[in-house]
């Protein structure tokens, strides 16, 4: 079975969806990844790979000199024509443990064309840390709020701002955190409107969606 | 126990969050609702109540002549100064059973200041219905995609557009639809990026969030 | 089958546990309740019944003139020797919908000998409502914090005080609130220490436990 | 404990059920597998083993020269009299990560006597990939549609064809994919009729069932 | 809101999918149903409605003289050109409580053009009842096996036959039957191959899928 | 922290409960186990340890020459006075994968004083294997029926006999077997009476309970 | 559809299984029940119906003079030849709310031929109530221990006796009792051996199984 | 990314909450931990780290001579000014497997200023072990009761005392213990009042909360 036949690259996607394709590296072999990147390279498109291991990066690096890897974010990027960064996204985390997912969101948002400001470790256990930063956070176009355990940070932030909050539950915690389910439920049940939610640990989709909204706002009305 | 002491209205909310307060009527007595609406009336603010029964509407109507009720959406509104509607939100449903939640989203989005276009009953069982409408749907600033049962509509739409998709799972279905959980999981797991999700049957939050993004886009960059 | 033989009253309980017995009315017939109250009356003990319907109260009222009923709290009491109220418990709710459970906790705590102060509708959607009250709340010996939906109130409070917080999840909400499970998980996962949790909607146990701690503090060290 | 006494081979199964026995290798020791294959060899029957590790294959290879192993499908086969392949089954996957389960289904269907055509990586994130292939897919007698994550592929396919669709959820994904449960629920809840579902990652049963239907159609009415 | 605009009937479906459309009545108003049936009537197509209440039938009967209702199956049919019944499907139930779902499957299969034989109350608690009927059951082209509670009937049947078994879990039972989940898991986990499964209580999809396979077999190879 | 103070052995248990104590080795250190066995040795009592690793056995063997280990059953025994075996227990499994749990039940039942007959790999996928053995199985005083996956074996057996069936679900399987939950639910929901159930993979409790009933029957009425 | 064809009575069951058939009335129509009882009457067999409503009883009473109904147990019996009661079963409940299930077990056990002693409302909240009765409880041949909420009663009893304990979880409780699941898990996880468990609220199976064991002990060894 | 910017230490916490900060080491890198401890050291505050691995301890030890590690409790402490221990907390466990969590609670309670007495391995399987210790246990100001599996110990203790019981479920067990969920549900559902509950395996919060109550009692009324 040759991988060539099985992978159907979405080369016209850039045109259709406005942004180049992202590759979930989670269950792919090195051979499959090299094949995919080769196709994008030939078509002169940027490509971004998420949830990538260091080993996958090494395998790709051997073939493509320009691939880069963010070890905390677990993201591989191959940039062939740079996208200008505009506007601003605020990325907030409840704790230190949520930083890898926040970095994933940040790398993705920057890759697709947004400026990012980071507000890490400002969770509700010491709410003064949030209160001290909220005026600055409000200046962004979109907020990405990331939390594990009880996951309440996005709910408290949303009650203080008038811009969209994209909430990301993380799998940080133990016992009844159930790998992020508790935080997910908190965010979906938020008594505060203006929050929308993505899958557990899905920093990629949060960064992608925040960038999409940020850029639409920056470009203004249709 | 007098309700007067217990309800702490958020009168400065309009200023802080940009939009007036919404009231979840789900577990409130008629007396509590009348008290709440009275306070908003005195403060000359608009107010919107969701998941309201016809009985609750009748009780409020007796006190406030101008309250209106959308029976399908189960939404009560009291408008004291009209908000101009700008931009455009596309609201799509998979089936006929999802219409009440779609109407909730529509009434809310219009109340807060957005134009709405409706694309109902275009689910994936007969995908030509979606294909025939997609070019028009893409002209909106934001899409609200609503589906019960297997909940795949938002995923298919997101693969075709370059604007944000807010997905709303509904409790339509039986057996392992588990009151909307199956549709919720589908939307959170979407292999297509650019989708963010709200609680099951939460047309209100979808309409609120879509309006927030739509108006930010219309007003353009900060 | 005569109920006389089946119900084994715990008359020496007052001595063993320090407080008289409480009766969960949830699955008892009127006949069983009358039998139970009769035994306590003969033994000159106070008795309190929780989750009681109005119908159960009416049936008991016919037999015992002094029974009283709190319709919001759904609690029946028969007081034969009054307990002096000491100290102070602060009972807080996130929303208006949580009030029935808060009243259950309040009635129970007062019945067993504590003063209660109520801070209702101070949830995190408008956190200024909490910030305005926190200095007064901190003067209590124990806090009972009650919330449904995302259930974050106890976590935010605990981060601001140095007294015990007993958290009560309520079944208020819809969709993925799952009848209080989401709020329960939030409270158990709290990234803030000093919170302990009781069963969903269990205002009784919260009031009982808060009273026990309050009275131990008031009486001082052993 | 000798394994001889414990394994009760179903030698007459070929006659009773029309197809030779399959062995789930998941929780068997090498000794047990060798014993099982020995019995089939003596009885001159074909045998197929699923979810087999490379180590199990090596152990069997030492005893039986003709055993073959598909490393992607994790399937071991020992063919003693070849079955002619008739008709056609279309095997489709949503993504690249689903290929191992698709290969399991393909190897099994071919082993039992069906021709197989493969349509991999045609998921709904880029629906044009499906639309380009659908006319060819429709020419099969049965479709096996395999997807992880949100699992919507079988639902979209079923809405376009008039032949049976056997849906296979895979454990590909993270967060609330819950090891395939989300995809399973999607498939069971499909608003589109004509889909039947097998266990998560059960490529074997999908291939077996598809072959059974394909061969019955090819042989025509009883 | 006029329903005319919202319902998008799939008139070309008969051609595309080979069978006319079915309507899930579960969450539709009488007005919506009348509108739907009107469209099919005008287009001279047959139509079938499932999970229909007696009240819905009465409302439709007033408008369309020829609609018929099977009260046990909860199925409404409007036949404008009869489909000839061919081949044979065996419909089996474990108990008497499963009969309504079995009837739903039977009415649907007959409506779409299959002959049906019924084997009710032959569950595994008294396995001789199955053993006495198995030879006759095997003469069908497809088996629909329906069971609630522990749901083992399809597994036992599949071990004895060489034709496809479509398994339907029902919500019959109490305690940990969990409204059919236990039976569903049993069927998906079956250690016996050749079983595919549909949603809990989904007699409609079982009847539809069985008919599809039966007719393909009767028509023979493409 | 010395373990001596923490372990409270139940030396009088032999007298109170009729059988010597069993030790769950699952979460114990070698030091704790040695301490426990030492106490039993001094008190001249038999002792049995379950879910024991080979490493734990080796550590104990160094201290106590007479300890024995059944590697399949993962059971360690130290017999100081032999218990005579009486009566008969039939231990049945659905598949080969269930044998370790069956052996655990067998070793335990023999240790406590029962004769055991084994009927392995007689699951419902090929029901003739059960039918061929049922007359012999019925001669026992108690049946232990063990199965994973769909777990239907105990239900089918119970329908054929008039003696108690103790059902043991095992964690054999994949996908929605959920580590034995599916089999557990099947057994608890059995439409056939006379089955009682123990925890997943709890061969110990099944062997213990079966022995208790067998010996009571052998000794006759009180 | 005439019911005569669909119900397959198990008349030879008395001979095969030793006890006459029981009928789960939960999802049967009056007509089905009358048909079933008629068949048993003609065959001169006793019959017992569980989970029966008063309305079902009234309908049967009209046809069969001798049917009797236990309103608490929800059990209908038709006795044509009395079974002598031997031995003794102790039936214990944790609370007053568990009595209906206890009565179901008691009526069933007596119907099938056992003497029953009842120990109700002896739960662990006041453990002296159990300690006062334990010596008498131990004189039985089998114990049925019934509890809702936390469900700990069977575990505490089993630690004190050397006879089998059949544990029955009940759906009494609220919040995270989850309709009996919490009690069920407690019983299955019991750290004390000698407990086997039946489905939630399944007093019937507990009474049946306890009777089976009691009678086997009374009759002595085979 | 420099960690210096990301970690927002809560130095004024000692003043605000009365006790110094605790650090959950679960998902932190060695570099992050060193940074955190450095800040506390500079500010002359005590610090305690929970769920710490031996490797994390070694890394910290290299930098800070005075850090100490309790290997069973998995707790790291850095004490710069000792807190006097007052009052008394009784820490009880059901089994030997619960000791690590009990030690975590004990180390934490002592660190924050309470005397601790330990009662390990007194679970309900042999209730005499509890009965022999209960009079001494009652002399404490607060009880921490820890149990896995069925988790009934706190319920039985609470029925015998008039002081607060903080219940800690542990992940000890297998099968349906579900990593501590069964024990958690037992404790939340307790039919005995006066129990409050913390997260599974959360010895830290139990020790913290017990210390808080103990010290408030020792200091007496405000």
């Amino acid at each position: 079975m040759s991988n060539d036949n099985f992978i159907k690259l979405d080369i016209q996607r850039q045109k259709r969806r406005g942004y180049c394709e992202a590759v979930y590296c989670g269950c792919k072999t090195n051979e499959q990844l090299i094949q995919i990147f080769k196709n994008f390279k030939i078509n002169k498109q940027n490509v971004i790979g998420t949830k990538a291991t260091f080993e996958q990066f090494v395998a790709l690096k051997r073939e493509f000199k320009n691939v880069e890897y963010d070890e905390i974010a677990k993201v591989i990027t191959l940039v062939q024509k740079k996208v200008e960064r505009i506007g601003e996204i605020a990325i907030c985390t409840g704790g230190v443990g949520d930083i890898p997912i926040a970095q994933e969101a940040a790398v993705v948002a920057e890759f697709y064309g947004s400026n990012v400001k980071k507000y890490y470790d400002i969770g509700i256990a010491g709410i003064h840390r949030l209160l001290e930063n909220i005026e600055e956070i409000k200046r962004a176009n979109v907020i990405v709020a990331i939390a594990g355990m009880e996951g309440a940070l996005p709910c408290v932030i949303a009650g203080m701002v008038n811009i969209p909050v994209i909430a990301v539950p993380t799998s940080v915690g133990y016992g009844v955190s159930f790998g992020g389910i508790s935080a997910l439920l908190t965010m979906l049940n938020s008594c505060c409107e203006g929050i929308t939610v993505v899958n557990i640990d899905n920093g990629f989709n949060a960064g992608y969606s925040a960038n999409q909204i940020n850029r639409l706002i920056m470009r203004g009305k249709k």
Side-chain angles (χ1 to χ4, degrees), chain A:
Chain A
M1 187 181 78
S2 147
N3 277 315
D4 293 37
N5 308 329
F6 294 118
I7 299 166
K8 293 182 186 53
L9 291 181
D10 195 355
I11 301 302
Q12 294 177 312
R13 194 168 180 289
Q14 171 86 38
K15 200 173 145 212
R16 189 178 81 254
R17 298 216 51 199
Y19 301 105
C20 74
E21 183 149 336
V23 179
Y24 169 55
C25 304
C27 52
K28 299 210 171 62
T29 62
N30 290 350
E31 292 66 37
Q32 292 172 331
L33 285 178
I34 289 167
Q35 186 63 39
I36 291 169
F37 273 65
K38 204 169 279 175
N39 277 278
F40 283 106
K41 210 189 162 185
I42 292 163
N43 288 279
K44 302 233 153 88
Q45 296 201 358
N46 296 343
V47 60
I48 187 165
T50 62
K51 308 289 178 201
T53 62
F54 185 72
E55 287 66 33
Q56 291 176 320
F57 166 64
V58 169
L60 284 167
K61 189 75 183 175
R62 259 185 242 118
E63 302 284 330
F64 312 97
K65 277 194 190 161
N66 296 334
V67 293
E68 285 179 27
Y69 186 56
D70 185 307
E71 203 166 355
I72 295 170
K74 305 285 174 209
V75 171
I76 295 171
T77 47
L78 176 61
V79 176
Q80 308 204 69
K81 35 184 166 176
K82 235 186 166 170
V83 182
E84 194 204 358
R85 293 181 193 164
I86 59 176
E88 185 180 315
I89 297 168
I91 300 189
C92 312
T93 78
V96 169
D98 306 315
I99 290 177
I101 302 305
Q103 285 297 103
E104 186 186 7
V107 172
V108 168
E110 289 174 348
F111 173 84
Y112 282 116
S114 291
N115 294 305
V116 167
K117 278 213 170 169
K118 299 170 188 176
Y119 306 86
Y120 291 173
D121 197 22
I122 57 166
I124 62 165
I127 207 159
H128 59 287
R129 299 176 301 183
L130 171 58
L131 298 176
E132 287 163 7
N133 288 284
I134 192 69
E135 286 311 313
E136 197 183 325
I137 292 170
K138 283 160 86 165
R139 281 185 219 121
N141 284 318
V142 195
I143 297 166
V144 174
I146 302 169
M149 293 167 134
E150 96 297 323
L153 181 65
C155 312
V156 176
I157 290 179
M160 300 175 171
V161 303
N162 61 2
I163 50 174
V165 176
I166 296 174
V168 191
T170 69
S171 52
V172 169
Y174 64 93
V176 294
S177 76
F178 294 139
I181 296 177
S182 174
L184 172 68
L185 296 181
T186 296
M187 295 166 184
L188 286 170
N189 277 309
S190 176
C191 55
C192 196
E193 59 276 12
I195 299 175
T196 59
V197 188
V198 299
N199 194 3
I200 296 165
D201 287 339
N202 199 341
F204 164 67
N205 191 21
Y208 183 97
S209 297
N211 169 70
Q212 198 177 45
I213 296 170
N214 175 48
R215 288 181 73 89
L216 285 171
I217 293 171
M218 291 308 290
R219 290 203 223 114
K221 77 170 168 185
K222 293 195 170 184

